[in-house]
C-alpha cells in the first residue's frame, strides 16, 4: 500500500468525523458559489438592479469567504485534537512527524477539493430554483434565466482551493511541536474539575443584567449610543456565563443531595462538571454567532416591515393628488384627467373622493384641521372603516394610530380645548378615536355638519383628491403608479403601492444577502456543536459501556444522552435567543415600531431548525453509542 493509498483509507476510516467537516465545507462553497452566480448573471450587469446591490453581494461573498476560513480552521483543529492518540500510535510504528504532517496535508486537501467540487455541482443543480426565488425577492424587471456560470465556477474553485491550501499548510505547523508522550495520552489525560470564581460569577450575572436592562430601557436615538457598550458588556457577560456562572450553578446542584442523588442526575451533573471547561468556549462561540445571525436577519426583516408596512398604514389610499399650485389657487385638471386615463387603460376599478381640508387657529401658534361628520364618513366608507355620528354642540378628537408619523406635541391637549363658533358659542370635545381616515398626520377635530357650517373663517384650506383601488389589482396598480409618477411631480402626486414596490426593489438585495449570511452563520454554529459532541464520542463509548455493566438500562441510557445532547445543543441557543429578543426589542424602541411579529417569526424559525437538527444528530449519536454496548 502506497502512502497516498494510506491517506485515502485513513479518510474513509474516519468518515464519521470527516462527514461533518466535508458537509459544512461543502455548504459554505455552495453559498459562495450562489453569490458568484448572482454577481456575474447577465441580467444583473445592466439596469435591472442597483450597482450598490452588486457591490453589497461582493462584500457579502467576502464575508462568507473569511468566515469559511475561520470555520474550517476551527473544524480542522477539533478534528486533529481527537486524533492525537492515532498520531502517537503511528509514530510508535515508525512514522515520522514529517510524514504525519504530510498525511494531514493530503487528507485536508482531498476533503477540500471534494467539498469544493460537490458544492459547485450542487450549486449548478439547484441554480435555477435559487434564481427563481431571488427573482421574486430582488424584484427586477428581467428574468434571471439559467446560464452556465463559467466565471463563477472558476472564481469559486480557485478561491476555495487557495483556502484549503492555506489551511492545510497551517495545520501542519499546528502538529510540529507535539511530543510522542503527549500524543499517546491523547484525550485520556485526567481532567480536573473546573472551579468557579465567586467574583467572576457575580460579574457575569451583573454584566448580563446591566446589558439587558440598558437595552430594554433606552429609547429613540439613545439606542444607537448605548449599542456598542451593551454589546461589549453582554459579550463579556456571556463568556463569563459559560465559564464561571454555569460552573457555579452545577457545583451548587451537586451539593444538593436531593437533586444529585436522584435517578441519573449523578451521572449527568458529574459529566457536565468535568466537561464544562471544554464546552464553555464552544458554547460562547455558538451563542455569539447565533445571536449575530438572529439579530442580523431580524433587523433586516423588521426594518423592511417598518418601511413598507409603515408607509402603507400611514397612507391607506392607492393614489393621492394635490391640485393646488404653490400659490394655492391655480388648478391643473389635466393631471386628474391623466390619472383617470391611466386607470382606465390599466382597467383598474377605483373609487374617488375629494377632501376639502380647512385649518383653524387654536392658539399658541397651533393650527388644527376641523372636519365635518359627512366628510369623515365619506373617507371612512372609502376605506371600509367605521363611520361616526357627532351630536350638535360636541366634537370628537381623532388621532393617527401609527407612531412612525406621530407628533405628540400636536396631540396632547386637543381634548381639553373647546372650539369656538362664529356666533361665540363653544363646542366641547367629548371623546377620542385612534384612526387613519383623513389625510392628516396630526390630531384633528370632527364636528357635526351643522356645527361645521357655523365655524369661523379658516386660516387656510387645501384640496386633495384620492383614489382607492379595489383588492386584487396589485400588479396593474403598481404599473399605473410608476407610469403616473413619471408624468406628475412627486410633491403633487403619490402612488403608495408603487412607492412600496420601489422600496422593496432597493431593499430586496440587502434582505437576500443578509438572509444568506445569517443562514451560513447559523449552520456553522450547529456544526461547532456537532464537532464538540463527536470529539468525545470514543470516550463516551467507553464510559457508557462501563456504566452499562453496572446496570444502566437502555431507557436510562437514552434519558442521560437526551439530557446531555439537549444541554449541548440548546443551552447556547437559548442564550442566543434571549440576546436576539433583547436586541430586536431595542430595535423596536429605536424606531418606536412594534416588531413582536417579525421577531417571533425569525427566532421561532431558527429554533425550529435547531430542534430538527438536534433530533437528527441525537439519532446518529445514540446509534453510535449503542453499537459499542
Amino acid at each position: 500500500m502506497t502512502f497516498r493509498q494510506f491517506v485515502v483509507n485513513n479518510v474513509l476510516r474516519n468518515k464519521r468525523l470527516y462527514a461533518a467537516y466535508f458537509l459544512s465545507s461543502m455548504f459554505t462553497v455552495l453559498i459562495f458559489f450562489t453569490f458568484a452566480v448572482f454577481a456575474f448573471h447577465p441580467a444583473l450587469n445592466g439596469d435591472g438592479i442597483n450597482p450598490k446591490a452588486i457591490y453589497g453581494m461582493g462584500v457579502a461573498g467576502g464575508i462568507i469567504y473569511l468566515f469559511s476560513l475561520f470555520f474550517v480552521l476551527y473544524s480542522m483543529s477539533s478534528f486533529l485534537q481527537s486524533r492525537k492518540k492515532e498520531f502517537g500510535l503511528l509514530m510508535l510504528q515508525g512514522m515520522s512527524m514529517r510524514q504525519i504532517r504530510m498525511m494531514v496535508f493530503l487528507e485536508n486537501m482531498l476533503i477540500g477539493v471534494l467539498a469544493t467540487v460537490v458544492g459547485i455541482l450542487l450549486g449548478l443543480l439547484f441554480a435555477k430554483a435559487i434564481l427563481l426565488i431571488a427573482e421574486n425577492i430582488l424584484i427586477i424587471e428581467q428574468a434571471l434565466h439559467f446560464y452556465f456560470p463559467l466565471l463563477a465556477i472558476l472564481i469559486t474553485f480557485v478561491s476555495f482551493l487557495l483556502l484549503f491550501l492555506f489551511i492545510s499548510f497551517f495545520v501542519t505547523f499546528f502538529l510540529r511541536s507535539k511530543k510522542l508522550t503527549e500524543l499517546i495520552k491523547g484525550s485520556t489525560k485526567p481532567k480536573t474539575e473546573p472551579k468557579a470564581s465567586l467574583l467572576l460569577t457575580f460579574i457575569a450575572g451583573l454584566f448580563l443584567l446591566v446589558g439587558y436592562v440598558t437595552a430594554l430601557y433606552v429609547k429613540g436615538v439613545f439606542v444607537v449610543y448605548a449599542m456598542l457598550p451593551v454589546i461589549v458588556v453582554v459579550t463579556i457577560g456571556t463568556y463569563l456565563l459559560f465559564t464561571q456562572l454555569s460552573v457555579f450553578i452545577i457545583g451548587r446542584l451537586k451539593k444538593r443531595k436531593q437533586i444529585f442523588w436522584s435517578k441519573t442526575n449523578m451521572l449527568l451533573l458529574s459529566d457536565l462538571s468535568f466537561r464544562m471547561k471544554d464546552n464553555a468556549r464552544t458554547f460562547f462561540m455558538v451563542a455569539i454567532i447565533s445571536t449575530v445571525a438572529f439579530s442580523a436577519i431580524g433587523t433586516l426583516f423588521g426594518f423592511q416591515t417598518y418601511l413598507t408596512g409603515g408607509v402603507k398604514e400611514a397612507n391607506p389610499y392607492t393614489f393621492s393628488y394635490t391640485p393646488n399650485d404653490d400659490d394655492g389657487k391655480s388648478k391643473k385638471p389635466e393631471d386628474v384627467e391623466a390619472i383617470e386615463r391611466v386607470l382606465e387603460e390599466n382597467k383598474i376599478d377605483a373609487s374617488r373622493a375629494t377632501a376639502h381640508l380647512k385649518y383653524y387657529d387654536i392658539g399658541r401658534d397651533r393650527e388644527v384641521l376641523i372636519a365635518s361628520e359627512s366628510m369623515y364618513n365619506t373617507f371612512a366608507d372609502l376605506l371600509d372603516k367605521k363611520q361616526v355620528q357627532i351630536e350638535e354642540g360636541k366634537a370628537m378628537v381623532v388621532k393617527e394610530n401609527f407612531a412612525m408619523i406621530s407628533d405628540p406635541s400636536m396631540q396632547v391637549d386637543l381634548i381639553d380645548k373647546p372650539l369656538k363658533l362664529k356666533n361665540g358659542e363653544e363646542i366641547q370635545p367629548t371623546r377620542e378615536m385612534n384612526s387613519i381616515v383623513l389625510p392628516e398626520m396630526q390630531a384633528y377635530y370632527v364636528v357635526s355638519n351643522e356645527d361645521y357650517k357655523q365655524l369661523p373663517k379658516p386660516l387656510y384650506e387645501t384640496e386633495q383628491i384620492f383614489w382607492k383601488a379595489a383588492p386584487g389589482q396589485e400588479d396593474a396598480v403598481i404599473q399605473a403608479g410608476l407610469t403616473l409618477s413619471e408624468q406628475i411631480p412627486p410633491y403633487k402626486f403619490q402612488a403608495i403601492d408603487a412607492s412600496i414596490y420601489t422600496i422593496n426593489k432597493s431593499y430586496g438585495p440587502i434582505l437576500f444577502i443578509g438572509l444568506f449570511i445569517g443562514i451560513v452563520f447559523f449552520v456553522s454554529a450547529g456544526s461547532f456543536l456537532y464537532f464538540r459532541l463527536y470529539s468525545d464520542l470514543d470516550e463516551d463509548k467507553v464510559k457508557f459501556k462501563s456504566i452499562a455493566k453496572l446496570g444502566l438500562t437502555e431507557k436510562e441510557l437514552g434519558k442521560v444522552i437526551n439530557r446531555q445532547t439537549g444541554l449541548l445543543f440548546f443551552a447556547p441557543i437559548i442564550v442566543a435567543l434571549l440576546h436576539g429578543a433583547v436586541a430586536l426589542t431595542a430595535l423596536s424602541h429605536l424606531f418606536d415600531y412594534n416588531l413582536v411579529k417579525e421577531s417571533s417569526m425569525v427566532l421561532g424559525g431558527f429554533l425550529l431548525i435547531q430542534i430538527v437538527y438536534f433530533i437528527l444528530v441525537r439519532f446518529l449519536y445514540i446509534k453510535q453509542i449503542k453499537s459499542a454496548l
Side-chain angles (χ1 to χ4, degrees), residues 32 35 55-69 517:
F32 184 87
F35 271 106
Y55 174 76
M57 294 182 77
V59 172
I63 293 174
I64 292 174
Y65 186 76
L66 291 176
F67 189 79
S68 300
L69 176 63
I517 293 179

Side-chain angles (χ1 to χ4, degrees), residues 291-306:
T291 301
V292 172
F294 300 159
S295 302
I297 295 179
T299 299
L300 291 172
F301 185 37
F303 191 62
Q304 185 192 36
T305 304
Y306 169 74

Side-chain angles (χ1 to χ4, degrees), residues 601-612:
M601 290 176 63
V602 171
L603 299 179
F606 276 111
L607 179 61
L608 180 62
I609 294 172
Q610 186 71 6
I611 291 173
V612 173

Side-chain angles (χ1 to χ4, degrees), residues 178-227:
K178 299 296 181 182
K179 297 181 180 180
L180 178 59
T181 54
E182 182 181 351
L183 293 173
I184 288 293
K185 290 180 180 179
S187 59
T188 60
K189 293 185 295 184
K191 297 179 181 178
T192 58
E193 184 175 4
K195 301 294 182 181
S197 165
L198 288 177
L199 176 61
L200 294 178
T201 299
F202 174 76
I203 292 175
L206 179 64
F207 274 26
L208 289 174
L209 180 63
V210 169
Y212 278 9
V213 170
T214 303
L216 295 174
Y217 178 76
V218 296
K219 298 183 186 300
V221 71
F222 294 104
V223 174
V224 178
Y225 299 141
M227 183 180 299

Side-chain angles (χ1 to χ4, degrees), residues 201-423:
T201 299
F202 174 76
I203 292 175
L206 179 64
F207 274 26
L208 289 174
L209 180 63
V210 169
Y212 278 9
V213 170
T214 303
L216 295 174
Y217 178 76
V218 296
K219 298 183 186 300
V221 71
F222 294 104
V223 174
V224 178
Y225 299 141
M227 183 180 299
L228 183 59
V230 167
I231 291 175
V232 173
V233 168
V234 171
T235 301
I236 296 174
T238 304
Y239 180 77
L240 294 177
L241 166 68
F242 292 120
T243 58
Q244 301 295 325
L245 183 57
S246 60
V247 174
F248 176 79
I249 293 174
I250 293 172
R252 297 294 295 179
L253 291 175
K254 288 179 65 177
K255 291 180 180 180
R256 296 179 66 92
K257 293 184 178 180
Q258 291 181 345
I259 297 176
F260 186 65
W261 291 93
S262 175
K263 299 180 181 180
T264 57
N265 287 347
M266 179 189 297
L267 178 62
L268 174 66
L269 292 175
S270 298
D271 188 74
L272 283 176
S273 178
F274 281 90
R275 287 191 180 184
M276 203 59 216
K277 184 177 180 180
D278 296 330
N279 291 340
R281 184 175 61 176
T282 302
F283 284 3
F284 170 70
M285 285 195 304
V286 170
I288 296 301
I289 291 172
S290 299
T291 301
V292 172
F294 300 159
S295 302
I297 295 179
T299 299
L300 291 172
F301 185 37
F303 191 62
Q304 185 192 36
T305 304
Y306 169 74
L307 289 176
T308 57
V311 170
K312 185 68 173 178
E313 186 178 350
N315 302 274
Y317 299 100
T318 307
F319 301 130
S320 63
Y321 174 72
T322 304
N324 303 76
D325 280 342
D326 294 336
D327 58 9
K329 297 179 180 180
S330 302
K331 307 290 184 180
K332 290 209 174 179
E334 61 271 18
D335 288 341
V336 178
E337 293 174 1
I339 296 173
E340 294 287 356
R341 184 173 60 253
V342 171
L343 290 175
E344 185 177 352
E345 291 173 353
N346 287 273
K347 299 179 180 179
I348 297 175
D349 179 19
S351 301
R352 172 181 166 180
T354 301
H356 299 278
L357 307 177
K358 296 181 180 181
Y359 292 82
Y360 297 82
D361 183 13
I362 60 172
R364 298 182 184 177
D365 297 326
R366 289 187 178 180
E367 303 165 356
V368 65
L369 168 68
I370 302 179
S372 67
E373 174 188 335
S374 60
M375 184 170 66
Y376 180 91
N377 287 336
T378 296
F379 284 86
D381 183 62
L382 198 64
L383 298 175
D384 293 326
K385 292 191 175 182
K386 182 180 179 181
Q387 298 189 358
V388 298
Q389 290 183 345
I390 310 296
E391 297 179 15
E392 289 188 32
K394 296 182 180 180
M396 179 180 69
V397 176
V398 179
K399 295 182 178 180
E400 55 79 24
N401 59 356
F402 185 59
M404 180 179 179
I405 59 173
S406 176
D407 185 358
S409 65
M410 295 295 289
Q411 302 179 21
V412 290
D413 57 357
L414 290 189
I415 192 68
D416 300 321
K417 282 188 170 295
L419 299 176
K420 290 185 178 181
L421 302 179
K422 58 185 177 182
N423 60 8

Side-chain angles (χ1 to χ4, degrees), residues 538-600:
D538 293 333
E539 182 181 335
D540 288 344
K541 286 181 177 180
V542 175
K543 177 184 68 177
F544 284 115
K545 186 175 182 180
S546 300
I547 296 175
K549 293 179 181 178
L550 298 176
L552 185 71
T553 65
E554 186 172 327
K555 183 179 180 180
E556 290 173 328
L557 172 66
K559 184 181 294 185
V560 172
I561 293 177
N562 283 337
R563 291 179 178 180
Q564 286 186 350
T565 54
L567 285 171
L568 178 69
F569 272 79
F570 291 108
I573 294 300
I574 289 174
V575 172
L577 288 172
L578 289 174
H579 290 355
V582 172
L584 295 177
T585 302
L587 178 69
S588 67
H589 290 168
L590 174 62
F591 297 111
D592 196 14
Y593 186 73
N594 193 331
L595 294 175
V596 172
K597 178 181 177 181
E598 292 75 17
S599 302
S600 301

